[in-house]
Amino acid sequence: MRSRSLTLLPAVLAVALAVPALGPASAAGGGGYALPGFAAQAAARTDYTIGIDPQAKGASIDDTMYGVFFEDINRAADGGLYAELVQNRSFEYDPADNAGYTPLTGWAPTGGTLDVVDDDARLNERNRRHLKLGLPAGIINAGYNSGINVERDEKYDFSAWARTDQAAGTPLTVGLTDPAGKELAPRLEIQVRGDGWTEYTGTFRARESSTTGRLLVTGGGAGTLRLDMVSLMPQDTYKGHGLRKDLAEKIAALKPGFVRFPGGCLVNTGSHYGYDASTGYERKRSYQWKDTIGPVEERATNANFWGYNQSYGLGYYEYFQFAEDIGAMPLPVVPALVTGCGQNRATDDPALLQRHVQDTLDLIEFANGPADSTWGRKRAEMGHPAPFRLTHLGVGNEENLPDAFFGDFTRFRAAIEARYPDITVVSNSGPDDAGATFDRLWQLNRDAGVEMVDEHYYNSPSWFLENNDRYDSYDRNGPKVFLGEYASQDNRFANALAEAAFMTGLERNADVVKLASYAPLLSNEDYVQWRPDMIWFDNHASWGSASYEVQKLFMNNVGDHVVKSTASGTPWSPEPITGAIGLSSWATSVAYDDVRVTAADGRELFADDFSGDASRWTGNGTGDWGVVDGAYVQADTGVTNPLVTAGDPTWRDVTFSVKATKRSGSEGFLIPFAVNGGGNPFWWNLGGWNNTRSAVDGGNSSRVFHSDDTTIETGRTYDLRVEVRGRTVKLFIDGRKWAEFADDTNRAPEPFRQVVTRDQKTGELILKVVNAQANAARTKIDLGAGTWVLPAAEATVLEGLPDDVNTEFTQPVKARKTQVRVSSGFTHTFPPHSVTFLRLKDKRR
């Protein structure tokens, strides 16, 4: 998980998926039945063809093709999948976790004196803080969201570690109440005895339901009572393993092939040293697996990268157990001592590197070793004598220092392959889908013969529609791809449609893309650090996003291999490049002068020598623009893309010239043209990437039309000229032609995508069609004259409006099933804004 989204060119604007907000409409044409609830005549139609060759077997698809990515972001663990109901149960919250935290965050006093202390009376060396109460005294915990959720007749296990200085003991009363003090369950009466730490337990049976519960703990008498690890856990957890049932069930319903954990940015950010006296018990550390196993009261605490505390109650053992419980392959990721996610630091400590390498070998033994091995015994002691069958392990996450990372990665890889040659060691390609880091890491991975490379990207819906063929050209003999994190940048149905269209390309390239997981998996709606997310929840309810519905449909209908198929594209008539002009920069102060736009016949359409004001220019609200000494100056070297535009968005066949001077800063000039509001303009980026490279990119695609090593000198004035004729562009610097290209790709992203797979067990062909447009797609489907299928096929359909969003209270995007009439050649109309899976049963199977 990366902390911000980057683009191929620093100034490229995000492209929104342009889909008209029409009412729901669909049709089943030809031999299909009309899909219920939708009027076919309400939508225009576009005609398509799909040809399928059922006998032409394509790439095999592994059972583990699709999985889930779990990272403790958006309170995915504490306050989420981990069923613990008490927040800050160990009084370990700290400003290091979040500037607003104190050791009593989540708690409130109800009387007496309270003090969180770190002294020699602590529970143990790794659980360093505890609560000291001057009696009589009490505290109350509000849990997460609106409070502690309890359900009538359900049982909840209370536990706490306590000690008292009173020889006769200290009475402890524990209650479950609502905010007004109403009892939700009979109170527990516990007698604490002795001045040594002892765990005390009890069970509540709720007599009322509430989403605003409070846990009240009161000590009576006199003297001092010490408390730590105050816990309340529902008895009804997923398979009895301590995970919140509704969330675990929604994940299990996906039928994931793997679970990637524990991240994400929290894997390799912060210090790589330990939680011990030598570091002063460092609070901001990378995720180190040995901190997270053993008795929960002995596990370390840590500051989560995403701005809160993580207790490690949900640790490596629980991760492995959960993967096994849902029938998924575990896929852990360990830090490589190079931080990512904006920190970009390499730790040069050979001894520390060797310790982490050994820790990784120990992790594999913990997962797979026999119960009488050192770390296998630890696993057995926690309740799982049998191995967890670990087969894949990732090293590193989104490192932006490719050479430093790869040097460390090779140490890990060599050690793992020497001891465990059957383990697939996964590398990565940085935080983006392209760019210098991506290219360098792929080169290093290819040259070293790495088996699998983890790619991550979060992009616009248009990007996903445009890049369906991304993996068509990947080297079939090179490293395989693990698409470990991807999502379109919102949770609307339009985003899910774009992801679905992209997934048809993943399946078509299943010989290259071996694993894929949408990210992130979980988000508590009251603690959001990142969106989009697949499953949303609060303290009492959970719901799948539109993307969840798409992922579930694909993951439950994968098939065993691809079947050869072809489809016609959406009709398109090339239009001339049109648009207004713009000026911008990136972390650079620039001066622009003598702007002129002329028509092909020489007529002047626009001119500005800035002898007056700049009132003809419209800005995007950023930058420090002003007319200075007869030039239009952007003075702020810290701002990125302070875009100003002028002119007519319908201009075509024009010449745009400008004089440009770099005043200071790290880059050069950004010259946008063809600015028309219909998507990205074209961007002429001179002196980009810290003044190391120049390129022109844009239109409605992320294609780079030209790139070289042109740099820009400070203080020098350049004459820049852009000539647009039809769909051809010429670019000139100081009268010299710098580049020429014809844009034959500047078209709307292809909204109609399909793939076909075969389910060997049932003998069915699974035709998967995405129609991400406002028009219905009337499609002639041909399976060939020699193919015989049963006349009724099951159709599973996701359909809605582009802006539909699933919430706790309404889920407009939900799969529904219907029957469709089919044959070896039939016509079916796929509804607007829809994903449809047709399962065609071969008569001969």
Side-chain angles (χ1 to χ4, degrees):
M1 176 63 60
R2 58 186 171 182
S3 56
R4 69 183 181 97
S5 178
L6 304 176
T7 51
L8 178 62
L9 286 176
V12 173
L13 299 175
V15 181
L17 179 60
V19 279
L22 301 178
S26 69
Y33 298 125
L35 300 172
F38 293 86
Q41 66 272 21
R45 289 174 175 169
T46 303
D47 288 331
Y48 296 90
T49 62
I50 294 176
I52 303 172
D53 183 353
Q55 307 310 314
K57 182 176 179 179
S60 295
I61 306 175
D62 295 345
D63 292 339
T64 53
M65 170 77 179
Y66 294 120
V68 293
F69 162 83
F70 183 95
E71 178 173 10
D72 189 0
I73 183 174
N74 311 312
R75 285 268 181 212
D78 296 334
L81 185 60
Y82 185 45
E84 175 63 66
L85 297 172
V86 175
Q87 184 175 180
N88 190 18
R89 67 182 177 188
S90 192
F91 310 101
E92 295 289 346
Y93 276 28
D94 190 271
D97 309 325
N98 184 294
Y101 281 0
T102 73
L104 280 173
T105 293
W107 297 93
T110 60
T113 60
L114 283 74
D115 188 21
V116 176
V117 296
D118 178 356
D119 60 18
D120 291 341
R122 66 179 65 90
L123 182 59
N124 57 66
E125 285 302 300
R126 292 170 69 76
N127 194 331
R128 303 188 63 75
R129 294 177 182 167
H130 63 276
L131 182 65
K132 183 178 179 182
L133 298 93
L135 300 174
I139 51 171
I140 193 166
N141 189 276
Y144 299 93
N145 300 93
S146 60
I148 293 172
N149 180 59
V150 296
E151 298 180 13
R152 183 177 177 176
D153 293 330
E154 292 296 320
K155 293 182 179 180
Y156 299 86
D157 291 332
F158 168 81
S159 66
W161 289 76
R163 58 191 291 184
T164 177
D165 64 358
Q166 299 298 294
T170 295
L172 192 67
T173 301
V174 187
L176 263 176
T177 74
D178 69 8
K182 181 180 179 180
E183 300 281 352
L184 301 174
R187 294 192 173 197
L188 302 177
E189 301 292 343
I190 295 170
Q191 189 74 11
V192 177
R193 297 187 181 278
D195 201 9
W197 287 106
T198 302
E199 185 179 23
Y200 296 87
T201 63
T203 298
F204 292 103
R205 186 186 186 102
R207 56 192 178 200
E208 291 193 34
S209 296
S210 176
T211 62
T212 59
R214 303 291 190 264
L215 180 70
L216 177 65
V217 183
T218 303
T224 299
L225 173 70
R226 299 175 188 264
L227 289 175
D228 207 347
M229 293 297 292
V230 181
S231 171
L232 186 69
M233 291 281 284
Q235 282 192 1
D236 187 18
T237 62
Y238 186 68
K239 297 196 174 183
H241 290 144
L243 301 186
R244 180 171 151 175
K245 195 171 184 179
D246 64 324
L247 293 179
E249 287 175 343
K250 280 187 170 58
I251 298 169
L254 294 168
K255 299 181 181 177
F258 64 88
V259 179
R260 177 177 181 259
F261 58 86
C265 282
L266 61 83
V267 166
N268 64 338
T269 49
S271 168
H272 299 297
Y273 291 91
Y275 186 65
D276 52 42
S278 67
T279 66
Y281 295 93
E282 171 63 57
R283 293 290 299 233
K284 294 186 175 183
R285 308 183 312 283
S286 58
Y287 199 103
Q288 300 175 40
W289 78 272
K290 290 179 180 177
D291 287 344
T292 76
I293 65 165
V296 290
E297 68 274 9
E298 296 177 8
R299 300 183 188 183
T301 189
N302 202 1
N304 184 295
F305 174 83
W306 297 105
Y308 53 90
N309 177 271
Q310 57 190 77
S311 71
Y312 289 144
L314 176 49
Y316 254 85
Y317 177 83
E318 290 78 15
Y319 283 128
F320 283 136
Q321 181 68 73
F322 180 53
E324 181 179 86
D325 285 345
I326 63 175
M329 173 182 81
L331 205 167
V333 181
V334 299
L337 274 67
V338 177
T339 55
C341 303
Q343 294 186 353
N344 301 332
R345 295 190 306 269
T347 300
D348 184 15
D349 185 334
L352 182 64
L353 176 61
Q354 182 54 42
R355 192 266 282 177
H356 276 268
V357 169
Q358 184 59 51
D359 281 354
T360 302
L361 297 175
D362 294 343
L363 172 61
I364 298 170
E365 183 175 283
F366 177 76
N368 291 352
D372 60 355
S373 64
T374 300
W375 292 99
R377 184 178 299 109
K378 295 280 188 183
R379 180 194 68 242
E381 289 170 353
M382 295 184 71
H384 201 286
F388 281 118
R389 298 189 301 277
L390 177 67
T391 60
H392 291 63
L393 184 142
V395 177
N397 178 76
E398 295 187 4
E399 286 78 9
N400 255 320
L401 301 175
D403 291 276
F405 158 73
F406 206 75
D408 287 355
F409 171 82
T410 56
R411 291 279 302 275
F412 281 85
R413 182 189 180 202
I416 295 168
E417 290 182 345
R419 181 82 62 84
Y420 300 105
D422 293 335
I423 297 290
T424 298
V425 185
V426 183
S427 182
N428 76 86
S429 60
D432 286 292
D433 61 89
T437 295
F438 178 89
D439 292 343
R440 177 60 175 159
L441 279 169
W442 260 106
Q443 176 192 346
L444 292 167
N445 285 307
R446 277 193 300 268
D447 292 348
V450 169
E451 190 169 348
M452 184 173 288
V453 176
D454 190 0
E455 292 190 354
H456 294 180
Y457 37 80
Y458 298 88
N459 291 319
S460 70
S462 289
W463 186 94
F464 282 96
L465 290 178
E466 293 163 6
N467 283 274
N468 176 273
D469 62 351
R470 174 180 176 88
Y471 296 106
D472 289 1
S473 59
Y474 271 50
D475 182 2
R476 267 47 202 169
N477 297 313
K480 303 305 180 184
V481 173
F482 170 25
L483 181 49
E485 296 185 34
Y486 74 96
S488 170
Q489 293 162 334
D490 206 338
N491 264 144
R492 300 176 303 132
F493 188 42
N495 300 86
L497 285 170
E499 292 155 3
F502 188 72
M503 292 171 79
T504 65
L506 300 183
E507 291 194 4
R508 188 176 64 251
N509 289 283
D511 58 329
V512 168
V513 183
K514 305 305 289 183
L515 306 169
S517 50
Y518 177 103
L521 177 62
L522 295 172
S523 181
N524 186 318
E525 67 171 356
D526 290 335
Y527 306 91
V528 181
Q529 287 83 37
W530 182 277
R531 67 176 71 230
D533 304 287
M534 195 193 297
I535 299 171
W536 290 78
F537 63 93
D538 54 25
N539 65 344
H540 64 278
S542 58
W543 55 97
S545 67
S547 293
Y548 173 84
E549 296 297 334
V550 161
Q551 294 290 324
K552 184 178 178 182
L553 185 56
F554 273 85
M555 294 166 77
N556 281 256
N557 296 276
V558 180
D560 297 289
H561 66 82
V562 177
V563 173
K564 183 179 179 181
S565 63
T566 57
S568 59
T570 302
W572 174 64
S573 298
E575 296 291 337
I577 295 172
T578 60
I581 61 170
L583 304 169
S584 192
S585 63
W586 191 274
T588 303
S589 173
V590 292
Y592 293 115
D593 200 0
D594 294 335
V595 176
R596 190 166 183 256
V597 181
T598 58
D601 60 8
R603 288 178 298 111
E604 184 173 273
L605 301 176
F606 179 91
D608 200 338
D609 63 2
F610 303 104
S611 56
D613 58 26
S615 58
R616 301 167 71 185
W617 296 84
T618 300
N620 64 0
T622 63
D624 181 10
W625 288 98
V627 176
V628 179
D629 297 330
Y632 200 19
V633 173
Q634 196 292 111
D636 188 345
T637 59
V639 70
T640 55
N641 189 30
L643 174 67
V644 293
T645 60
D648 188 338
T650 67
W651 278 342
R652 53 179 289 185
D653 297 332
V654 298
T655 299
F656 164 31
S657 60
V658 60
K659 292 181 179 178
T661 307
K662 174 179 176 178
R663 300 169 79 236
S664 62
S666 60
E667 300 207 355
F669 313 119
L670 283 174
I671 309 296
F673 58 97
V675 182
N676 58 30
N680 277 345
F682 288 87
W683 291 91
W684 192 6
N685 184 4
L686 288 165
W689 294 272
N690 289 315
N691 206 16
T692 62
R693 192 151 56 103
S694 296
V696 61
D697 154 296
N700 283 327
S701 75
S702 56
R703 177 178 173 185
V704 176
F705 296 98
H706 180 79
S707 179
D708 66 15
D709 58 1
T710 298
T711 59
I712 298 300
E713 300 174 22
T714 301
R716 174 182 164 186
T717 298
Y718 294 80
D719 286 319
L720 308 179
R721 187 168 85 249
V722 180
E723 292 183 1
V724 180
R725 300 291 185 270
R727 301 198 64 77
T728 299
V729 177
K730 297 180 182 179
L731 301 135
F732 298 83
I733 301 176
D734 294 334
R736 176 184 59 84
K737 187 165 72 173
W738 179 79
E740 178 178 353
F741 63 89
D743 177 20
D744 58 357
T745 65
N746 189 24
R747 60 185 297 173
E750 175 57 61
F752 185 78
R753 297 291 189 182
Q754 58 78 37
V755 70
V756 181
T757 63
R758 170 80 75 181
D759 185 331
Q760 294 282 69
K761 183 177 180 181
T762 65
E764 292 170 312
L765 293 171
I766 311 172
L767 171 59
K768 310 172 187 185
V769 176
V770 180
N771 185 30
Q773 62 180 325
N775 287 356
R778 183 169 53 193
T779 308
K780 184 176 180 180
I781 300 164
D782 184 6
L783 283 75
T787 302
W788 300 92
V789 293
L790 295 181
E794 180 184 82
T796 306
V797 185
L798 292 172
E799 185 177 4
L801 298 176
D803 289 332
D804 279 345
V805 176
N806 286 353
T807 70
E808 177 183 354
F809 305 105
T810 178
Q811 284 100 45
V813 180
K814 206 168 185 70
R816 55 187 175 78
K817 294 184 183 295
T818 187
Q819 293 290 308
V820 172
R821 181 72 60 182
V822 299
S823 65
S824 60
F826 66 102
T827 297
H828 182 79
T829 299
F830 297 95
H833 311 303
S834 68
V835 183
T836 302
F837 279 29
L838 287 172
R839 298 189 72 106
L840 310 172
K841 178 68 173 177
D842 193 330
K843 282 184 178 180
R844 296 170 299 179
R845 290 173 178 253

